[in-house]
Amino acid sequence: QVQLVESGGGLVQAGGSLRLSCAASGSIFRIRAMGWYRQAPGKQRELVAAITSGGNTNYADSVKGRFTISRDNAKNTVRLQMNSLKPADTAVYYCNARDVYSGYGGPDDYWGQGTQVTVSS
């Protein structure tokens, strides 16, 4: 079974920084895209940032210039560096792996368990 394990969430003051990491494991051959989504209380889950295996990136307008996504294809890991954090960034952040080809078949999509990011004012 393919699993995504996240780390790096926590509590930070406005203006501070956090880095989220996600590692995918489980007989993986290829992952087309990896990304981060977030869901705040009472709101829908939204895309924060995504990156393809070729390095193409996509960011939500609300985080452009503040967040940076990076990926290690060989290790099947993705990171999200979050700077200049705002209280509006408070949410549960989920790692996503899209179009995964593994020993279990594919393409399949997988999600991490989520990690809480809280930004205090």
Side-chain angles (χ1 to χ4, degrees):
Q1 181 74 347
V2 173
Q3 291 186 324
L4 303 183
V5 178
E6 301 139 336
S7 61
L11 173 65
V12 65
Q13 288 188 334
S17 298
L18 282 174
R19 186 173 69 178
L20 305 182
S21 297
C22 173
S25 62
S27 298
I28 295 170
F29 302 140
R30 180 175 179 267
I31 304 175
R32 185 183 67 80
M34 299 187 77
W36 293 91
Y37 288 70
R38 66 187 181 188
Q39 187 167 18
K43 295 187 177 181
Q44 290 187 333
R45 190 173 297 189
E46 62 176 1
L47 173 69
V48 177
I51 184 168
T52 68
S53 56
N56 293 318
T57 58
N58 182 32
Y59 293 93
D61 287 343
S62 60
V63 307
K64 284 180 180 177
R66 300 188 297 122
F67 291 10
T68 302
I69 191 169
S70 61
R71 175 176 174 177
D72 186 327
N73 291 330
K75 296 182 179 179
N76 292 320
T77 58
V78 63
R79 291 181 175 177
L80 185 68
Q81 178 65 42
M82 304 185 293
N83 298 329
S84 302
L85 282 160
K86 305 174 182 180
D89 296 316
T90 295
V92 177
Y93 284 70
Y94 296 90
C95 179
N96 170 257
R98 180 159 295 183
D99 292 343
V100 179
Y101 293 85
S102 70
Y104 310 98
D108 296 304
D109 294 349
Y110 295 91
W111 292 91
Q113 78 283 1
T115 185
Q116 178 71 45
V117 171
T118 303
V119 184
S120 63
S121 56

